[in-house]
Amino acid sequence: ETCSCGCGHAHHHADEVFTSWGVETTRQFTREEIEDILSQFTSGLYGAVLRAKGIVAGADGQWIHFDYVPGEENVRTGAASTIGRLCVIGSKIDEKALAALFQVK
């Protein structure tokens, strides 16, 4: 059976097309930092980002929750977590560039 993407190969499995990058962090962020980071996903410098989400400690003591899909960013405060977590899903994800963008290891 051939792939519907027009490449002429067998069907691609999702793990061949999409990759994910995730990290836990104790770094604190401001809401403005998160909004700026999310706005940079459209640049293509980090790969084709299709989804991002996370919960991180806020510099003001609150926890920041965020969700991203192309064309829609949602940043809000919410319930506390024990540690910050970031997850980015897409194609040709540049993990080093994402780590630098979020300033995490």
mmCIF file of all heavy atoms in Angstrom, residues 27-30 56-64:
data_model
loop_
_atom_site.group_PDB
_atom_site.id
_atom_site.type_symbol
_atom_site.label_atom_id
_atom_site.label_comp_id
_atom_site.label_asym_id
_atom_site.label_seq_id
_atom_site.Cartn_x
_atom_site.Cartn_y
_atom_site.Cartn_z
ATOM 1 N N ARG A 27 13.312 25.929 36.106
ATOM 2 C CA ARG A 27 13.439 27.335 35.692
ATOM 3 C C ARG A 27 12.102 28.050 35.828
ATOM 4 O O ARG A 27 11.052 27.489 35.516
ATOM 5 C CB ARG A 27 13.923 27.412 34.241
ATOM 6 C CG ARG A 27 14.129 28.839 33.767
ATOM 7 C CD ARG A 27 14.706 28.859 32.344
ATOM 8 N NE ARG A 27 14.978 30.200 31.910
ATOM 9 C CZ ARG A 27 14.070 31.036 31.399
ATOM 10 N NH1 ARG A 27 12.815 30.662 31.271
ATOM 11 N NH2 ARG A 27 14.423 32.248 31.011
ATOM 12 N N GLN A 28 12.172 29.282 36.283
ATOM 13 C CA GLN A 28 10.974 30.112 36.386
ATOM 14 C C GLN A 28 10.867 31.012 35.158
ATOM 15 O O GLN A 28 11.873 31.497 34.643
ATOM 16 C CB GLN A 28 11.021 30.969 37.646
ATOM 17 C CG GLN A 28 10.966 30.156 38.918
ATOM 18 C CD GLN A 28 10.980 31.037 40.152
ATOM 19 O OE1 GLN A 28 11.354 32.202 40.116
ATOM 20 N NE2 GLN A 28 10.560 30.464 41.264
ATOM 21 N N PHE A 29 9.654 31.235 34.695
ATOM 22 C CA PHE A 29 9.377 32.037 33.512
ATOM 23 C C PHE A 29 8.386 33.143 33.863
ATOM 24 O O PHE A 29 7.611 33.009 34.810
ATOM 25 C CB PHE A 29 8.729 31.181 32.411
ATOM 26 C CG PHE A 29 9.602 30.103 31.854
ATOM 27 C CD1 PHE A 29 9.732 28.881 32.502
ATOM 28 C CD2 PHE A 29 10.285 30.297 30.664
ATOM 29 C CE1 PHE A 29 10.525 27.875 31.975
ATOM 30 C CE2 PHE A 29 11.089 29.296 30.133
ATOM 31 C CZ PHE A 29 11.207 28.079 30.787
ATOM 32 N N THR A 30 8.373 34.177 33.067
ATOM 33 C CA THR A 30 7.282 35.145 33.133
ATOM 34 C C THR A 30 6.289 34.790 32.038
ATOM 35 O O THR A 30 6.631 34.098 31.064
ATOM 36 C CB THR A 30 7.776 36.591 32.909
ATOM 37 O OG1 THR A 30 8.281 36.711 31.573
ATOM 38 C CG2 THR A 30 8.854 36.976 33.919
ATOM 39 N N VAL A 56 4.896 25.475 33.795
ATOM 40 C CA VAL A 56 6.170 25.937 34.340
ATOM 41 C C VAL A 56 5.929 26.863 35.521
ATOM 42 O O VAL A 56 4.882 27.505 35.626
ATOM 43 C CB VAL A 56 7.019 26.658 33.269
ATOM 44 C CG1 VAL A 56 7.449 25.686 32.169
ATOM 45 C CG2 VAL A 56 6.282 27.839 32.673
ATOM 46 N N ALA A 57 6.925 26.927 36.397
ATOM 47 C CA ALA A 57 6.848 27.843 37.533
ATOM 48 C C ALA A 57 6.942 29.269 37.019
ATOM 49 O O ALA A 57 7.765 29.587 36.161
ATOM 50 C CB ALA A 57 7.980 27.552 38.511
ATOM 51 N N GLY A 58 6.085 30.113 37.543
ATOM 52 C CA GLY A 58 6.109 31.520 37.171
ATOM 53 C C GLY A 58 7.010 32.306 38.115
ATOM 54 O O GLY A 58 7.140 31.976 39.296
ATOM 55 N N ALA A 59 7.634 33.340 37.589
ATOM 56 C CA ALA A 59 8.512 34.183 38.396
ATOM 57 C C ALA A 59 7.751 34.868 39.517
ATOM 58 O O ALA A 59 8.339 35.249 40.533
ATOM 59 C CB ALA A 59 9.196 35.215 37.500
ATOM 60 N N ASP A 60 6.423 34.986 39.371
ATOM 61 C CA ASP A 60 5.595 35.643 40.396
ATOM 62 C C ASP A 60 5.031 34.660 41.418
ATOM 63 O O ASP A 60 4.208 35.017 42.249
ATOM 64 C CB ASP A 60 4.463 36.413 39.740
ATOM 65 C CG ASP A 60 3.496 35.518 38.962
ATOM 66 O OD1 ASP A 60 3.689 34.278 38.935
ATOM 67 O OD2 ASP A 60 2.542 36.066 38.378
ATOM 68 N N GLY A 61 5.458 33.397 41.357
ATOM 69 C CA GLY A 61 4.988 32.392 42.307
ATOM 70 C C GLY A 61 3.815 31.565 41.824
ATOM 71 O O GLY A 61 3.498 30.537 42.404
ATOM 72 N N GLN A 62 3.149 32.004 40.756
ATOM 73 C CA GLN A 62 2.055 31.228 40.188
ATOM 74 C C GLN A 62 2.620 30.255 39.160
ATOM 75 O O GLN A 62 3.747 30.403 38.718
ATOM 76 C CB GLN A 62 1.039 32.153 39.522
ATOM 77 C CG GLN A 62 0.358 33.101 40.503
ATOM 78 C CD GLN A 62 -0.792 33.826 39.842
ATOM 79 O OE1 GLN A 62 -1.652 33.197 39.235
ATOM 80 N NE2 GLN A 62 -0.802 35.140 39.952
ATOM 81 N N TRP A 63 1.827 29.288 38.766
ATOM 82 C CA TRP A 63 2.238 28.339 37.728
ATOM 83 C C TRP A 63 1.605 28.760 36.411
ATOM 84 O O TRP A 63 0.434 29.128 36.358
ATOM 85 C CB TRP A 63 1.838 26.915 38.108
ATOM 86 C CG TRP A 63 2.755 26.376 39.161
ATOM 87 C CD1 TRP A 63 2.692 26.618 40.498
ATOM 88 C CD2 TRP A 63 3.910 25.572 38.963
ATOM 89 N NE1 TRP A 63 3.728 26.006 41.146
ATOM 90 C CE2 TRP A 63 4.489 25.340 40.228
ATOM 91 C CE3 TRP A 63 4.503 25.004 37.850
ATOM 92 C CZ2 TRP A 63 5.638 24.579 40.401
ATOM 93 C CZ3 TRP A 63 5.640 24.236 38.019
ATOM 94 C CH2 TRP A 63 6.201 24.031 39.285
ATOM 95 N N ILE A 64 2.402 28.705 35.359
ATOM 96 C CA ILE A 64 1.957 29.099 34.027
ATOM 97 C C ILE A 64 1.694 27.834 33.209
ATOM 98 O O ILE A 64 2.553 26.961 33.105
ATOM 99 C CB ILE A 64 3.027 29.956 33.315
ATOM 100 C CG1 ILE A 64 3.309 31.222 34.138
ATOM 101 C CG2 ILE A 64 2.583 30.298 31.892
ATOM 102 C CD1 ILE A 64 4.530 32.001 33.655
#
